[in-house]
Amino acid sequence: MTIQPAWQIPRSGLLWLLIAFVGVVIPHVGHLPPWITAGAIVAIGWRIQVYRGCWGFPGIWIKVALLALCIGGLLLSYGLLVGLEPMVALLVSGYSLKLLEMHRPRDALVLVYLGYFVAITLCLFDQSIAVTSYILVGLLLVTAGLAGLHQTAETTKHSAFVELGSLKTAAAILLQAIPLMLVLFLVMPRFAPLWSVPSQRDSATTGVSDSMSPGDFTRLGRSAATAFRVTFAGPMPPKRQLYWRGLVLSDFDGRAWRQAVPWGYAGNLVQWYGQPDGSWRGDIPRSAASLDYSVILEPTQNQWLYALTPSQPLTEGVGLARDHSLVNRVPVTGKREYRARFMPDSPRDLDALPSIRHFVETRLPPEFNPETRRLAAEWRAEEPDNEALMRRLMALFRREFTYTLEPPALGRHSVDEFLWQSKRGFCEHFASSFVFFMRAAGIPARVVVGYQGGEYNPEQDYLTVRQYDAHAWAEVWLEGQGWVEFDPTAAVAPERIEFGMAETLAGEEEFLADNPFSLHRFRDIPWLNRLRLQLDYLDYLWTRWVLRYDGVQEGLLSRMLGAVDPVRIGLFILIAGFLALLPVLLLLWWRRAGNPRSPLEQLYLEFCRKLEKAGLGRNTGEGPRDFAARASARFPADREQIENFSRFFERVRYAGSVDNLEEDRLRQQRRRLKRFRPGAVRLLTSKSA
Amino acid sequence: MNAPVANRQKLVDAVVETVAGLLMGKEQEIRLAMACLLARGHLLIEDLPGMGKTTLAQALARALGLSYSRIQFTSDLLPADIIGISVYEQASGAFVFHPGPIFSQLVLADEINRTTPKTQSALLEAMAEGQVTVESETRPLPKPFFVIATQNPATSTGTFPLPESQLDRFTMRISIGYPDPASERRMLMGADPRLQLARLRPCVQGEQLDLLQRAASKVQASEAVVDYLQRLVQYTRSEHQFELGLSPRGALAVLDCARAWAMMHARHYVIPEDIQAVFPAVAGHRLQGASDVVQRSGALVEQVLHAVDIL
């Protein structure tokens, strides 16, 4: 009886698996409950203690208890396990538990696969260059763990604490995979996900939300995150035209503005791209001036898109809503690229508003802001002309109001207090009070939220709009002109519109309060500013060519293949894959070519190959005599042939000189070797037997 | 197969058989010792006491018809005790050299690591040069000259272990090891080995040993076999698990012993199996694992043989 020794994980393998564990889990720490992180640390410590021989592996009851703890904790933290974060949390806790259960090589392999999986889930949260590069590092570490599992003490040097041999092996493996990765990236069709990734819990922290209440925009002013990027097919319109309409808010409850129920519209509410034009679109004439542009929107988890007004969608799945904003068919969970046509001169809703719409666009909650209502009525009496009334209000703004990101807090009658007391505020205050005033004077008006301006990258010709460019402005309906956009903020702080938020507020404390070391704070230093623009461009390229590659792919493929069908794609993958791997093959071939085999050696190798096929391979370092003895014992029927051949080989190679080996002797042996079938069933002998 | 080749093999086989009659079940070790002797090398036996080191040396000396002396190395042994000393003789009124025990054809240097480095190096010098110099007079040692040194690995207190440079002078290091039960039983049931030893008759006469040694050195080593040897040597020098690679002297020793081994097996050319047969004994004590590789050198040598292919 032999005692089976317990499997001992190679030290190098264990070390790399632990390093990979840490490397892969760390980026998840931010969106995991703290107890999972703590558990992971305990698991690592425990595993190290097991390795040092101080502690034992957990017994069955401890494992059951740990499992119950994890399940309970997950249920407590997330409730039902639906959504991305609970799933990742589940994965990471399983990853930690498996660490304590590594008894066999198979368990270690499971750990390796889990490591790959956890690494790739990072993509679900962020797909930027930095994170993608980090994922590559994670893959490298996990692969090093995999390599370390197969590197025994004899093949690794123990002098260093961390054996770099495994890492080198892993790097070599991954480097070889790169050509294939590129081919698959180019050709592999992008399938729409079979299920949509459940949105993240905290995803709504940035971006414009579907209501506007005091303070919303201050929050946006703190963030320099990219909202979207735009490239224009022609020259960029002037900055004062760059109003990126997101949502139209018509419903005011005294504090917040919301989208109103789309009452009173005839026909469909959204005109999707590709549908025949609805009746209500007839009022947008095809104006002469038009400008196509393309937007890459960062994920917002919302359906609305941002576009200049008025614009017409040019991308499948994008529609034009009745309030002239663009909407996406599904919430934007990944980066979304869409194209649209800006037609600056076309009026909107020229015909008189239906009475229900008129009611909705002028409705105000009666119990708020009595002072403003009273004054609006007073002014209305003095100024019967709508435009004159607006001019008068704007003049008031210009004369007495200050633009600041740190306005005093407002009470119950926010518009009254802003207009007649504090007189300090920013876009949302101006837009809100302007619209309120107009409605109180009986003019249909509504709030529009979105972004204004953006930063133009002159070298690369695209525009980056950031969260701090978020803006709110107004829209009024005038007889004979339809809806007209109107920005009261422009009256108070024209530089906000002309130069953008960053220029205007660079000194204010609230601006970018969340990231005090943001490069955006140092735009006065030219080289830093240039660096920032370059980084931004890199990110743009990444988004354009890697993340949104599927848009490019179809055209590229059809140009390369003629037509896109599965057979052609398959063939292309085969051929391109072969071509991509060709350098590796050539390298291997070249290495072998450096040590050419003599005809005799080739013959002997052929002999060994035949025996190996029959089930008996020659070991490395096994001499011809030893091998012949082993082969004869294994295939007694072929004994004579085996011994003859190896005697011939031995004589020529070791007793004579290879140079004066006669060609025909070699040829003769080659012929004999061809007929050599070790281990073959001989019908004749079996019959006679 | 030509006659002289077969005769040589018979001769060697006869010696091996004779010695194996005393040292039962240790034919492989006896053959290695023979190969070492035929390659004009010196042998280091590392083993526990009572394993038959002395028996091997004495039996070899007898079977080969060599003069034999034994030096028990102790910590107070002086070089002169080995080499000899000049004594003033009143009768002739001159100093007369009294040769020490080293002036024998087969010298058994027992427990060589018990003596001081000074005495050790006197022996090793004699081994290397085949002559000794006493009082500015060079005296050749008898031919053939063969040293079998033993050391006891178990007790290391109060010993002076041989440094690598001096280990390198021994062509081979072997250990005899316990006999298998059957051989041990035969030994226990048989006659007293000491009596047997006294009855032993030489199998080799006069010049024959020298002829054998010469024949061994003429065994052909083809390019292919030298290639293989060089790859083995290169492996020990380039792989990091070795602290020290195989020296050129070591490589030469491997080839010489492989030649002798081939001759002992009635071949006039060396094949890889010959190299593999002698390699552990010849290279084992010269290779040293890197300090942090805790391994027996035997395992290291096996590793080399398994890692380097013969082609």
Side-chain angles (χ1 to χ4, degrees):
Chain A
M1 194 186 90
T2 53
I3 296 163
Q4 199 69 36
W7 179 68
Q8 175 86 40
I9 182 170
R11 194 179 80 137
S12 166
L14 177 66
L15 196 63
W16 280 110
L17 282 179
L18 290 180
I19 293 175
F21 181 89
V22 173
V24 159
V25 170
I26 274 185
H28 281 299
V29 164
H31 38 250
L32 289 179
W35 62 268
I36 288 189
T37 313
I41 294 171
V42 169
I44 290 177
W46 195 328
R47 191 61 189 80
I48 291 174
Q49 289 296 78
V50 169
Y51 178 76
R52 294 178 57 211
C54 298
W55 299 358
F57 281 107
I60 177 78
W61 291 112
I62 298 183
K63 281 198 277 189
V64 169
L66 285 175
L67 186 69
L69 267 179
C70 279
I71 293 176
L74 286 170
L75 286 176
L76 273 180
S77 302
Y78 292 106
L80 289 172
L81 298 175
V82 181
L84 192 58
E85 283 172 0
M87 283 303 148
V88 171
L90 184 68
L91 201 61
V92 171
S93 39
Y95 193 24
S96 314
L97 287 183
K98 194 70 202 171
L99 208 55
L100 296 179
E101 213 196 22
M102 235 186 330
H103 300 299
R104 280 162 299 181
R106 201 186 61 188
D107 297 324
L109 277 187
V110 170
L111 200 73
V112 167
Y113 297 144
L114 274 174
Y116 283 127
F117 207 86
V118 174
I120 221 69
T121 51
L122 268 180
C123 264
L124 299 174
F125 294 94
D126 192 342
Q127 303 178 349
S128 65
I129 302 181
V131 168
T132 310
S133 316
Y134 190 84
I135 289 175
L136 286 183
V137 173
L139 292 185
L140 183 68
L141 292 179
V142 178
T143 312
L146 183 60
L149 286 180
H150 298 279
Q151 282 170 329
T152 50
E154 284 88 39
T155 54
T156 56
K157 192 178 165 76
H158 275 230
S159 61
F161 176 66
V162 175
E163 280 106 32
L164 290 174
S166 308
L167 195 66
K168 277 185 197 157
T169 310
I173 292 173
L174 289 187
L175 276 180
Q176 286 172 49
I178 283 181
L180 207 58
M181 180 186 88
L182 290 180
V183 169
L184 289 180
F185 171 80
L186 282 175
V187 207
M188 202 59 197
R190 267 50 165 184
F191 298 109
L194 296 178
W195 64 93
S196 66
V197 178
S199 58
Q200 296 151 238
R201 225 176 9 171
D202 57 349
S203 58
T205 48
T206 53
V208 172
S209 64
D210 62 351
S211 71
M212 184 182 85
S213 47
D216 283 0
F217 283 70
T218 334
R219 179 169 53 72
L220 292 176
R222 295 174 174 184
S223 166
T226 302
F228 53 91
R229 293 192 176 91
V230 193
T231 36
F232 292 96
M236 195 179 80
K239 272 223 166 149
R240 61 190 144 73
Q241 277 192 13
L242 295 180
Y243 281 86
W244 303 99
R245 171 183 292 244
L247 278 177
V248 177
L249 309 177
S250 298
D251 187 35
F252 187 54
D253 64 1
R255 180 160 184 84
W257 287 88
R258 288 206 170 71
Q259 280 186 291
V261 190
W263 284 331
Y265 288 123
N268 49 357
L269 288 172
V270 177
Q271 175 73 43
W272 297 103
Y273 171 72
Q275 274 182 351
D277 282 4
S279 56
W280 59 275
R281 285 293 308 280
D283 58 359
I284 298 188
R286 300 284 179 272
S287 66
S290 75
L291 176 64
D292 287 7
Y293 57 96
S294 166
V295 179
I296 299 174
L297 180 65
E298 299 289 314
T300 60
Q301 320 299 340
N302 292 317
Q303 266 185 281
W304 61 85
L305 305 175
Y306 298 95
L308 297 170
T309 316
S311 278
Q312 210 186 338
L314 294 177
T315 297
E316 190 61 47
V318 178
L320 180 65
R322 272 319 288 262
D323 55 15
H324 301 277
S325 53
L326 294 194
V327 289
N328 202 25
R329 232 184 245 283
V330 289
V332 180
T333 50
K335 298 206 180 195
R336 174 82 166 109
E337 180 176 18
Y338 54 92
R339 289 194 312 120
R341 179 167 297 158
F342 174 44
M343 291 168 296
D345 302 328
S346 30
R348 294 170 286 135
D349 291 332
L350 269 184
D351 305 333
L353 286 182
S355 54
I356 299 182
R357 274 327 291 171
H358 196 278
F359 167 71
V360 169
E361 308 291 13
T362 52
R363 188 172 56 149
L364 288 175
E367 63 272 32
F368 290 98
N369 305 315
E371 184 68 14
T372 309
R373 299 167 83 93
R374 191 186 55 74
L375 211 77
E378 205 173 282
W379 283 24
R380 173 88 273 186
E382 290 164 21
E383 304 268 6
D385 182 40
N386 286 345
E387 287 188 54
L389 187 71
M390 280 159 62
R391 268 199 300 279
R392 187 164 165 188
L393 183 60
M394 296 304 275
L396 177 72
F397 279 162
R398 202 172 296 128
R399 208 166 50 238
E400 297 179 13
F401 283 70
T402 316
Y403 182 78
T404 172
L405 270 188
E406 295 155 57
L410 298 176
R412 172 176 162 84
H413 301 292
S414 55
V415 176
D416 272 5
E417 285 171 35
F418 172 70
L419 280 182
W420 318 117
Q421 288 166 28
S422 73
K423 303 197 176 181
R424 292 160 56 80
F426 50 96
C427 58
E428 67 179 45
H429 299 100
F430 289 105
S432 172
S433 48
F434 180 82
V435 171
F436 190 95
F437 195 95
M438 285 301 124
R439 285 190 173 190
I443 306 173
R446 54 195 186 187
V447 172
V448 183
V449 290
Y451 296 88
Q452 198 280 322
E455 181 180 46
Y456 183 62
N457 190 328
E459 287 168 49
Q460 313 299 347
D461 190 31
Y462 68 92
L463 187 80
T464 305
V465 179
R466 301 182 183 282
Q467 293 302 348
Y468 61 61
D469 290 317
H471 192 50
W473 59 97
E475 192 167 60
V476 291
W477 188 85
L478 299 174
E479 192 76 46
Q481 294 181 42
W483 285 105
V484 178
E485 287 190 307
F486 207 85
D487 188 0
T489 314
V492 186
E495 68 281 2
R496 159 80 176 83
I497 308 306
E498 278 301 319
F499 303 111
M501 191 79 159
E503 296 284 312
T504 317
L505 295 173
E508 287 220 24
E509 220 167 276
E510 269 295 290
F511 182 59
L512 291 181
D514 284 356
N515 9 4
F517 298 108
S518 163
L519 282 176
H520 292 262
R521 294 201 150 222
F522 308 105
R523 33 180 74 227
D524 293 340
I525 306 169
W527 66 269
L528 257 183
N529 202 34
R530 204 155 46 235
L531 177 73
R532 187 178 61 80
L533 284 177
Q534 294 290 347
L535 286 179
D536 193 64
Y537 179 57
L538 195 66
D539 193 41
Y540 168 74
L541 286 182
W542 174 255
T543 305
R544 183 85 187 72
W545 292 105
V546 179
L547 298 183
R548 301 311 310 159
Y549 170 74
D550 46 350
V552 186
Q553 187 187 35
E554 205 170 321
L556 200 71
L557 278 186
S558 60
R559 228 179 313 141
M560 275 195 302
L561 304 178
V564 181
D565 57 61
V567 177
R568 280 173 198 241
I569 289 183
L571 276 178
F572 185 83
I573 289 182
L574 273 183
I575 294 169
F578 174 74
L579 288 179
L581 288 178
L582 201 57
V584 179
L585 292 176
L586 280 178
L587 188 74
L588 289 178
W589 178 78
W590 179 73
R591 275 198 186 166
R592 266 184 74 168
N595 181 15
R597 296 285 187 203
S598 72
L600 181 71
E601 284 174 335
Q602 284 174 9
L603 204 61
Y604 187 68
L605 286 174
E606 176 64 27
F607 169 76
C608 296
R609 249 195 305 279
K610 286 206 165 188
L611 280 166
E612 184 164 11
K613 259 191 206 160
L616 186 80
R618 192 174 65 87
N619 299 325
T620 313
E622 190 172 18
R625 247 183 210 212
D626 292 346
F627 183 50
R630 217 152 55 89
S632 302
R634 173 79 178 270
F635 306 110
D638 302 297
R639 183 192 191 94
E640 200 184 324
Q641 263 186 307
I642 292 170
E643 289 189 344
N644 273 341
F645 182 80
S646 53
R647 207 172 303 135
F648 160 77
F649 174 71
E650 184 186 296
R651 284 269 168 79
V652 176
R653 189 169 163 86
Y654 300 112
S657 161
V658 182
D659 297 332
N660 48 24
L661 163 69
E662 290 153 40
E663 272 295 306
D664 46 336
R665 274 179 67 197
L666 196 61
R667 212 171 299 136
Q668 188 195 350
Q669 286 293 341
R670 192 171 291 144
R671 264 203 309 278
R672 279 193 201 162
L673 189 60
K674 254 185 201 143
R675 290 196 302 271
F676 178 47
R677 300 264 181 283
V681 179
R682 276 164 192 75
L683 287 177
L684 221 73
T685 46
S686 58
K687 236 180 237 170
S688 62
Chain B
M1 201 179 282
N2 47 1
V5 172
N7 285 340
R8 281 179 213 133
Q9 184 195 11
K10 263 187 210 150
L11 208 54
V12 175
D13 281 352
V15 173
V16 171
E17 239 171 75
T18 307
V19 178
L22 273 129
L23 198 65
M24 286 177 192
K26 291 292 160 193
E27 199 162 315
Q28 182 71 8
E29 285 73 19
I30 298 166
R31 278 184 182 278
L32 279 172
M34 261 320 268
C36 181
L37 194 148
L38 291 174
R40 300 177 202 269
H42 303 284
L43 183 66
L44 176 66
I45 305 178
E46 196 175 85
D47 220 326
L48 300 170
M51 300 302 251
K53 294 178 292 237
T54 318
T55 310
L56 176 62
Q58 279 183 315
L60 265 181
R62 283 256 168 181
L64 292 168
L66 302 175
S67 61
Y68 168 80
S69 64
R70 170 182 171 153
I71 312 167
Q72 182 65 46
F73 278 57
T74 53
S75 54
D76 55 356
L77 197 74
L78 293 173
D81 298 334
I82 305 173
I83 293 166
I85 192 162
S86 290
V87 179
Y88 181 74
E89 276 195 4
Q90 273 178 330
S92 57
F95 280 92
V96 174
F97 179 67
H98 286 245
I102 201 160
F103 287 87
S104 296
Q105 288 172 309
L106 199 156
V107 177
L108 175 65
D110 220 353
E111 301 203 76
I112 189 174
N113 56 341
R114 290 228 168 268
T115 195
T116 51
K118 191 174 169 187
T119 312
Q120 283 173 357
S121 56
L123 174 74
L124 294 165
E125 217 175 290
M127 278 162 55
E129 295 175 8
Q131 60 187 29
V132 287
T133 307
V134 188
E135 286 151 17
S136 71
E137 197 182 331
T138 303
R139 293 164 203 275
L141 291 169
K143 281 195 178 159
F145 176 64
F146 186 44
V147 173
I148 297 180
T150 70
Q151 59 179 1
N152 184 345
T155 51
S156 54
T157 34
T159 61
F160 302 89
L162 293 172
E164 288 85 38
S165 59
Q166 306 211 326
L167 271 180
D168 200 43
R169 299 191 190 217
F170 285 99
T171 307
M172 272 192 193
R173 181 185 65 180
I174 60 172
S175 61
I176 295 175
Y178 295 113
D180 57 286
S183 304
E184 191 160 20
R185 189 172 181 81
R186 259 192 301 140
M187 189 267 290
L188 291 171
M189 301 291 283
D192 186 348
R194 274 165 295 188
L195 293 177
Q196 277 187 302
L197 197 65
R199 285 200 295 270
L200 217 83
R201 310 221 141 228
C203 313
V204 179
Q205 267 99 35
E207 291 289 292
Q208 274 180 321
L209 185 59
D210 187 48
L211 286 174
L212 281 177
Q213 286 181 329
R214 265 187 232 184
S217 67
K218 287 194 184 113
V219 167
Q220 183 194 353
S222 66
E223 299 232 342
V225 119
V226 175
D227 276 350
Y228 174 55
L229 175 60
Q230 280 199 296
R231 281 201 303 275
L232 287 172
V233 170
Q234 193 50 45
Y235 185 86
T236 65
R237 294 177 189 166
S238 61
E239 292 299 304
H240 51 64
Q241 65 262 47
F242 300 100
E243 180 80 46
L244 289 174
L246 207 55
S247 64
R249 176 162 48 189
L252 197 60
V254 173
L255 194 57
D256 284 344
C257 291
R259 281 192 166 113
W261 192 264
M263 190 196 74
M264 288 163 65
H265 294 82
R267 243 181 295 104
H268 62 88
Y269 54 88
V270 181
I271 59 171
E273 280 86 343
D274 298 329
I275 295 208
Q276 290 169 355
V278 300
F279 191 78
V282 182
H285 59 295
R286 299 168 206 260
L287 288 179
Q288 212 182 11
S291 56
D292 46 359
V293 180
V294 188
Q295 266 176 338
R296 293 181 304 108
S297 59
L300 269 176
V301 170
E302 287 299 313
Q303 219 182 88
V304 179
L305 291 178
H306 282 125
V308 179
D309 200 18
I310 55 142
L311 283 183

